[in-house]
Amino acid sequence: NTAQARTAVYSVNTLSGGCAGTSFSLTVTVDPKPVMNSFTTTVKCSGVFFSVTPTSGSVVPVGTTFSWPAPIGTNNAITNTQSQAAPGTLNIYGTLINTTNIQQTATYTVTPAFGTCIGNTFAFSVPINPTPSINNFTRVVCSGVPVNISPVQPGDGSIIPANTSYTWLSPLGVSNVSGDFGSGGYVSSFSATLTLNTNINTAQTVTYTVTPRANSCDGTPFTVVITVNPRAIINAMTALACGGVQFTVNPTNSTNGTVPGGTTYTWGLPTVGASVTGGDSRLTPSSNIFGTLDVIGSIAQTAVYIVTPSTSQCGTGSSFTLTITVNPTVIIRSISRTICSGQSFSITPADEPGNTIPSEVTYTWAAPPTGSGFSGGLSESSPQTNISGSLTATSNFIATATYVVTPSITSCSAGGTFTVQINVTPFPNVSPMSRTVCGGVFFSAVPSNNTDGLVPNGTQYTWNAPSVTTASLSGGQTRSTKSNDIFGTLTNQTNTPQTAVYTVTSYLNACQGNVFTLTVNVNPRPILQNVVTTTCSNALFTVSPTTTAVNNIAPLGTKYSWGLPQLSGSLTGGESASGQSFISGTLTNPTNAVLTAAY
């Protein structure tokens, strides 16, 4: 029963043929034969190397070696079993794999040996706890939605013992996601709540490395890959619209919040005031927000929509408000103005009768089409509060420049265009004129275009009383009412030509032209009183009227014409004549009384 080698010493006598020889000693060393007890070791983890040196038994020599065939596992649930042939090793070892998710036992039949002494076999049992072996997980979630994974035995080759717990560290390289990261120790399930940072509108991926543990056995780490899809989170918005014109609003990422690609929208009827009409609901998802609103009156109104965004990955997001400021539709009547050549004009449509226009309306316009009769007229692309310009007439007729004007309200179109017609009146530019008339005879002078300068059709005139060469020229008067011609009646009370100079102002409609002179040369008219003269029968008589009366006016070169005289009694003779410098004739009186002839 000793576990150590012992010796037996024999004293041996020799004998041969009756002859006793010498004696010698024989020492026999007796090794102990191991006598071992069967036993069960402490629980081992699947896949983890173990080494056990048996020490229990009645004879356990130091240096005992062990050999064994492959162990037998329960229900064939133990793999990676190995045998150990003689002469064996000083301990029993192995790496056993439990292929189930519950504890299994592997039983070795072990043969001990000490030297050449083979002991009786004994049983060595090894309980093997399963080591968790879990396949990788992937999850797709929406921003801010918790992820919770409690792996269960799925039948896909994973090994998940009961009461498996998990630990993980924060993932690396995550810049656009915030939320729960490391576990802080072993917990019963994997969980995390990940939220995309503001304005991140594309899916982000976060990868966790998770280590499972069951019954103090650490398993192989596995990954949990979480794809975090963005949710539509849109801030309250405002936009402008023109009455009667469809508006379209496209929320944009960063500017209006988090707007994932492909976000669609639905909305109900807007909340509007009594002065707003239109506005429909939209229950079918749309890629933008649109509608048509109108305003009654000239004051901008608001309509408030409650809009619900949605994405294909994360469904419905939180509703937001869209406030539309609706500017009234402006329809402006065409406007006409008449200006003088070179004159600037400025037109404020709101001042025109019949127009109702908000004060914030501005205007842009194109240059009027180039035409004959005017120059100037520029376009204006920068919004203005009135319509202005300057035009110059280039002919003798009134030319029309037509501007096409576009009104706008706070950067949006304010309805259709309208026209502004500018009638450009040329300035008359009449040259100095002269006319020759007879004293006491009505005269009328009408300046003619080109001949007398630039004289547009319809030019009118006013004038002052003329300056005269002598007080004997009378009849010139002032004319303050516009007239189509320059007229008057001048009387020359001398027997020589006299001159009257009028200072005339020209006008075309309201446009005052130049001031010019009209010189009227007034020739005297012969003004002669009746003449009585006496002559003898058959004698030539001559009469020069200028010598017959003091008040006679007979300008130098006056000529006379007469017909046959009226004769009294039996008076004869007397001929007609014309263009004569004096009056003459011969008459015969055959009686003894005085007879008369009246020319």
Side-chain angles (χ1 to χ4, degrees):
N1 293 328
T2 181
Q4 297 178 350
R6 294 290 187 265
T7 58
V9 179
Y10 290 85
S11 178
V12 181
N13 296 315
T14 62
L15 179 64
S16 175
C19 294
T22 59
S23 297
F24 63 94
S25 62
L26 170 64
T27 301
V28 179
T29 299
V30 183
D31 287 334
K33 179 179 179 181
V35 179
M36 308 291 295
N37 296 330
S38 295
F39 70 98
T40 300
T41 187
T42 57
V43 178
K44 307 301 181 182
C45 292
S46 175
V48 178
F49 177 81
F50 68 89
S51 178
V52 177
T53 301
T55 59
S56 175
S58 57
V59 179
V60 185
V62 175
T64 299
T65 62
F66 307 94
S67 60
W68 60 88
I72 299 174
T74 55
N75 301 319
N76 296 319
I78 300 295
T79 63
N80 202 41
T81 57
Q82 296 178 341
S83 62
Q84 174 62 56
T89 60
L90 295 174
N91 47 32
I92 307 169
Y93 63 89
T95 302
L96 299 175
I97 296 175
N98 182 350
T99 60
T100 72
N101 66 340
I102 60 175
Q103 188 181 88
Q104 303 291 337
T105 300
T107 301
Y108 290 79
T109 300
V110 183
T111 300
F114 184 79
T116 58
C117 300
I118 306 300
N120 296 327
T121 62
F122 63 94
F124 169 61
S125 297
V126 184
I128 303 294
N129 277 333
T131 297
S133 177
I134 302 174
N135 292 332
N136 296 331
F137 282 86
T138 60
R139 288 290 186 271
V140 178
V141 297
C142 294
S143 176
V145 176
V147 177
N148 192 285
I149 298 175
S150 296
V152 296
Q153 193 68 29
D156 62 355
S158 295
I159 297 175
I160 308 175
N163 301 318
T164 298
S165 58
Y166 308 89
T167 188
W168 61 92
L169 299 176
S170 297
L172 301 176
V174 178
S175 59
N176 294 324
V177 181
S178 60
D180 301 329
F181 291 125
S183 63
Y186 283 92
V187 294
S188 60
S189 63
F190 172 86
S191 62
T193 300
L194 301 174
T195 302
L196 295 182
N197 294 344
T198 302
N199 301 332
I200 301 301
N201 69 334
T202 57
Q204 304 293 312
T205 299
V206 178
T207 300
Y208 291 88
T209 298
V210 183
T211 300
R213 172 179 286 182
N215 302 313
S216 300
C217 295
D218 289 333
T220 302
F222 64 95
T223 60
V224 174
V225 179
I226 301 176
T227 299
V228 185
N229 283 317
R231 299 177 63 193
I233 303 174
I234 302 176
N235 303 323
M237 296 181 62
T238 60
L240 295 173
C242 289
V245 179
Q246 179 174 293
F247 68 85
T248 300
V249 176
N250 289 291
T252 58
N253 193 58
S254 296
T255 301
N256 304 115
T258 302
V259 186
T263 299
T264 59
Y265 308 90
T266 58
W267 57 89
L269 291 172
T271 300
V272 299
S275 298
V276 179
T277 62
D280 297 324
S281 61
R282 176 80 178 188
L283 301 180
T284 302
S286 171
S287 59
N288 51 36
I289 309 156
F290 61 89
T292 302
L293 299 163
D294 211 343
V295 172
I296 301 171
S298 61
I299 300 175
Q301 304 290 330
T302 58
V304 180
Y305 289 83
I306 296 177
V307 184
T308 302
S310 180
T311 64
S312 58
Q313 296 86 359
C314 292
T316 300
S318 299
S319 297
F320 63 95
T321 60
L322 170 62
T323 301
I324 302 293
T325 298
V326 188
N327 287 310
T329 299
V330 178
I331 300 175
I332 305 174
R333 295 171 177 163
S334 294
I335 299 170
S336 179
R337 285 285 189 280
T338 298
I339 65 170
C340 299
S341 176
Q343 180 181 355
S344 297
F345 65 89
S346 180
I347 297 172
T348 302
D351 296 337
E352 297 297 303
N355 287 342
T356 302
I357 306 171
S359 59
E360 63 269 24
V361 173
T362 57
Y363 308 90
T364 57
W365 58 87
T370 303
S372 61
F374 71 89
S375 64
L378 302 176
S379 63
E380 181 58 74
S381 59
S382 177
Q384 303 294 315
T385 56
N386 52 31
I387 303 141
S388 61
S390 178
L391 297 165
T392 300
T394 58
S395 67
N396 71 327
F397 59 86
I398 297 176
T400 299
T402 301
Y403 291 83
V404 177
V405 183
T406 301
S408 299
I409 303 178
T410 318
S411 302
C412 70
S413 175
T417 59
F418 65 97
T419 59
V420 171
Q421 290 186 336
I422 304 297
N423 302 310
V424 188
T425 304
F427 284 114
N429 188 10
V430 186
S431 303
M433 298 174 59
S434 65
R435 293 289 188 272
T436 299
V437 300
C438 294
V441 177
F442 178 82
F443 72 88
S444 174
V446 180
S448 174
N449 189 54
N450 294 330
T451 301
D452 298 308
L454 178 63
V455 186
N457 292 337
T459 299
Q460 294 182 303
Y461 312 92
T462 62
W463 57 89
N464 297 323
S467 61
V468 295
T469 54
T470 176
S472 298
L473 183 61
S474 62
Q477 296 179 338
T478 296
R479 174 79 178 189
S480 58
T481 303
K482 295 176 185 176
S483 172
N484 294 329
D485 59 350
I486 309 151
F487 62 87
T489 301
L490 296 169
T491 301
N492 184 353
Q493 297 176 342
T494 72
N495 64 351
T496 59
Q498 301 295 319
T499 300
V501 179
Y502 289 84
T503 299
V504 184
T505 302
S506 59
Y507 299 89
L508 183 58
N509 299 328
C511 299
Q512 180 178 322
N514 72 317
V515 176
F516 65 96
T517 59
L518 170 62
T519 301
V520 181
N521 299 308
V522 185
N523 287 325
R525 292 178 66 207
I527 301 175
L528 303 176
Q529 301 182 41
N530 292 334
V531 177
V532 177
T533 188
T534 300
T535 186
C536 295
S537 178
N538 291 320
L540 177 67
F541 70 87
T542 61
V543 175
S544 177
T546 57
T547 63
T548 60
V550 175
N551 294 326
N552 281 350
I553 297 175
L556 183 65
T558 298
K559 303 293 184 181
Y560 307 95
S561 300
W562 61 89
L564 292 173
Q566 296 178 358
L567 303 175
S568 64
S570 56
L571 188 64
T572 61
E575 297 177 347
S576 62
S578 63
Q580 301 300 311
S581 297
F582 52 86
I583 306 164
S584 65
T586 301
L587 297 166
T588 301
N589 182 353
T591 70
N592 60 356
V594 175
L595 298 176
T596 59
Y599 288 83

